[in-house]
Every structure is written in C-alpha cells, then in structure tokens.
Amino acid sequence: MVTLDTRTLTVPVGIVRMLEVVLTCISFSLVASVGHFGSSYWAWCMFTWVFCCFVTLLILIMEFTTLNVRVPISWDDFTTAFAMLSTLMVLAASIIYPTFFTCVSCGKQIAATVISCLAFLLYATEVGLIRAKPGEISGFLSTVPGLLKVLEAFVACIIFISLDHGFYSRFPGLQWCVAVYSLCFIFALIIILFTICRMLSLFPFPFDKVLTGYNVLAVLMYMTCVVIWPLYSFQNNHSRPSGCGRNCYWDNQVVVAFMTCFNLVVYIVDTVYSFRLVFFVTPA
C-alpha cells in the first residue's frame, strides 16, 4: 500500500527540488522553442536540463509516495550523487550555452541562461543540505571521496563531448589519452553504481585499498595525458586560427587540455584523501 508523506514536500530539501523541476523545465522549453542546433554542446545542454528535470521529479514522487524505501538501492547515496552530478551538469550548461548559442538580441536564450544559473544555485543548495556532515554515518557517495568520484566522472563527460574523432584518430598518442579518459570514467562509474546498488561487498579486496590503488594509477595515467594531449594537439597551431568561427575545432582541443589538467588535480586530491583515510586515520 502506498503511503503519502506530505512532509517531504514541505521540508527545505523538498521545496528546493520542486523549484529545480520548474526552472529546468523552463530552461529546456525556452531552448527547444528556439530550434535545434547540430552540435554536441547543444545536445549536452538540452540533455542536462531534461535529465535533471525528470530525475528530480522522479525523486520527489518516490519520496512523496514513500516508494523510495522499497527500492533495492542506497537511496541516500543515489540522491546525493544525483544532486552533485546535477550541480555540475547545470553549471556546465549555464556556461556552455551562452558561450556558443547566445547573442545580445537573443531574448529567449538569455532567459534560458539566467534560469539555468538559478537552477544551478538550487542544486548547489541541495548538495549542501544533504551532504554528510563530519561525524555523521552515511553512504560513501555522501562523503568527500564519493563526491570527488562524481566530479571525476563528470569532467570525463565534458572531455568526451569535446572530442573530435576525426582528429584524435590520426595520432596514437591522442588515442592513448582517449583510452585513459574512458578507462578512468568506466571505473569511476562502476564505483558509483556499486555504491548505489549496495554491491561494494562483492569486491574481492578491501574497498578502501582498491580505491587508493586505482587513484594512484589514475593519477599516473592522467599525468601522461597532461603532457601528450597538448603536445599532439598544438604542435602545428600554437594559437587560435584567425579564420576559425565560434564552433572552432581548436577551442575543443583547449577544452580537452584544460579538463585533463583539472581532472588530474581532482585525482591527486582524491588520492591524498584516500591515503589519509587508509594509512593515517586509526579506527576509534
């Protein structure tokens, strides 16, 4: 029997989620009314608003009908991971869309951007409301290492939508970089899914040590990409071509190079944090 819990809609998190649904729905409706653009960046922005809107609505419905207690997953980990991911996705959409698809006289596009920025603030607020506080017992994804895993997977997604197959397929070095991005993304996704589905006990070794070893390996592989990607991408074009338009291939290479450096920093922080938890924190 379904029990309705109206309190889930009146607590601060519930109110924030309802506003998120409204704002993301308005954003993708405004952008859809303008028309379609054959660009991976446009597709990413539209996917972000639609995905965040409907998953947030699903979370509201599940908690309102108390069906969330019946699903065989860690609900707290799921909602925390989704809130963190949505914050990053909406932030990226709020930057990417006006950069490539907005002009001074584009009223609907400007309105969609402003509303998307407000949605980002709401998702960031939600993360602050539901994130685990020091001393609280909660799931892995509610902790700093868990949130870093979500961040690492998100940055890899930004790299993927910026890749040009026709470009990187010509150089073995760049193919290695794409392989690194893909392998690290897959492993981060596996950790997130195993955590949400409560399957971490299936790891044949202690999870914290597996995580530390993976982080060290990811740092080493990303360090090679930080060197190799710019070396091949900018060896014959150190500056932006003068005749390149708004959707310039050179800009995509810069995005990939920057995000590679950014993800390396995230992995280093994750590794330091993992070492601290494994080797320097003694159980009480």
Side-chain angles (χ1 to χ4, degrees), residues 157-259:
C157 290
I158 298 297
I159 291 175
F160 292 145
I161 66 172
S162 303
L163 291 174
D164 182 355
H165 179 267
F167 179 76
Y168 74 76
S169 60
R170 293 181 291 166
F171 305 101
L174 297 186
Q175 292 176 28
W176 159 257
C177 293
V178 175
V180 170
Y181 303 144
S182 302
L183 289 172
C184 293
F185 170 76
I186 291 171
F187 198 88
L189 193 61
I190 289 174
I191 292 175
I192 293 170
L193 292 177
F194 269 52
T195 302
I196 292 174
C197 298
R198 298 173 178 171
M199 298 170 62
L200 292 179
S201 59
L202 298 180
F203 277 92
F205 305 102
F207 174 68
D208 53 352
K209 291 182 173 58
V210 171
L211 197 59
T212 303
Y214 157 71
N215 287 336
V216 172
L217 182 61
V219 167
L220 295 175
M221 291 194 297
Y222 259 89
M223 286 176 67
T224 65
C225 295
V226 166
V227 176
I228 294 174
W229 187 271
L231 183 65
Y232 280 90
S233 297
F234 308 117
Q235 57 182 345
N236 296 321
N237 50 350
H238 300 290
S239 60
R240 194 175 192 271
S242 57
C244 221
R246 173 174 286 191
N247 295 317
C248 182
Y249 73 93
W250 192 87
D251 295 339
N252 292 341
Q253 310 312 320
V254 173
V255 171
V256 174
F258 175 78
M259 287 300 175

Side-chain angles (χ1 to χ4, degrees), residues 19-283:
L19 292 174
E20 291 165 356
V21 171
V22 173
L23 294 184
T24 51
C25 180
I26 294 174
S27 291
F28 78 73
S29 299
L30 286 172
V31 173
S33 67
V34 175
H36 175 267
F37 292 89
S39 166
S40 61
Y41 290 128
W42 185 90
W44 167 264
C45 294
M46 282 297 288
F47 170 77
T48 293
W49 293 317
V50 173
F51 172 75
C52 293
C53 176
F54 284 98
V55 176
T56 305
L57 181 61
L58 176 63
I59 291 173
L60 281 170
I61 293 173
M62 294 288 286
E63 292 193 346
F64 177 63
T65 58
T66 64
L67 291 175
N68 60 304
V69 299
R70 303 184 184 182
V71 294
I73 64 173
S74 174
W75 187 255
D76 289 339
D77 274 323
F78 169 69
T79 53
T80 301
F82 172 73
M84 177 65 175
L85 181 62
S86 297
T87 301
L88 298 171
M89 291 176 67
V90 175
L91 172 62
S94 301
I95 296 173
I96 292 173
Y97 188 75
T99 301
F100 292 100
F101 308 107
T102 303
C103 60
V104 177
S105 59
C106 301
K108 290 184 177 180
Q109 290 92 326
I110 294 174
T113 300
V114 172
I115 293 172
S116 182
C117 292
L118 294 176
F120 156 70
L121 294 176
L122 288 173
Y123 278 111
T125 302
E126 182 183 351
V127 172
L129 290 173
I130 67 178
R131 189 180 73 83
K133 306 301 186 298
E136 290 183 351
I137 299 176
S138 59
F140 171 72
L141 294 180
S142 299
T143 63
V144 172
L147 295 177
L148 288 174
K149 277 288 163 282
V150 177
L151 178 58
E152 291 158 5
F154 164 77
V155 174
C157 290
I158 298 297
I159 291 175
F160 292 145
I161 66 172
S162 303
L163 291 174
D164 182 355
H165 179 267
F167 179 76
Y168 74 76
S169 60
R170 293 181 291 166
F171 305 101
L174 297 186
Q175 292 176 28
W176 159 257
C177 293
V178 175
V180 170
Y181 303 144
S182 302
L183 289 172
C184 293
F185 170 76
I186 291 171
F187 198 88
L189 193 61
I190 289 174
I191 292 175
I192 293 170
L193 292 177
F194 269 52
T195 302
I196 292 174
C197 298
R198 298 173 178 171
M199 298 170 62
L200 292 179
S201 59
L202 298 180
F203 277 92
F205 305 102
F207 174 68
D208 53 352
K209 291 182 173 58
V210 171
L211 197 59
T212 303
Y214 157 71
N215 287 336
V216 172
L217 182 61
V219 167
L220 295 175
M221 291 194 297
Y222 259 89
M223 286 176 67
T224 65
C225 295
V226 166
V227 176
I228 294 174
W229 187 271
L231 183 65
Y232 280 90
S233 297
F234 308 117
Q235 57 182 345
N236 296 321
N237 50 350
H238 300 290
S239 60
R240 194 175 192 271
S242 57
C244 221
R246 173 174 286 191
N247 295 317
C248 182
Y249 73 93
W250 192 87
D251 295 339
N252 292 341
Q253 310 312 320
V254 173
V255 171
V256 174
F258 175 78
M259 287 300 175
T260 300
C261 296
F262 182 82
N263 226 12
L264 172 61
V265 174
V266 176
Y267 273 108
I268 291 174
V269 173
D270 198 359
T271 302
V272 171
Y273 209 97
S274 298
F275 264 97
R276 177 177 172 272
L277 291 178
V278 173
F279 298 106
F280 298 103
V281 175
T282 56

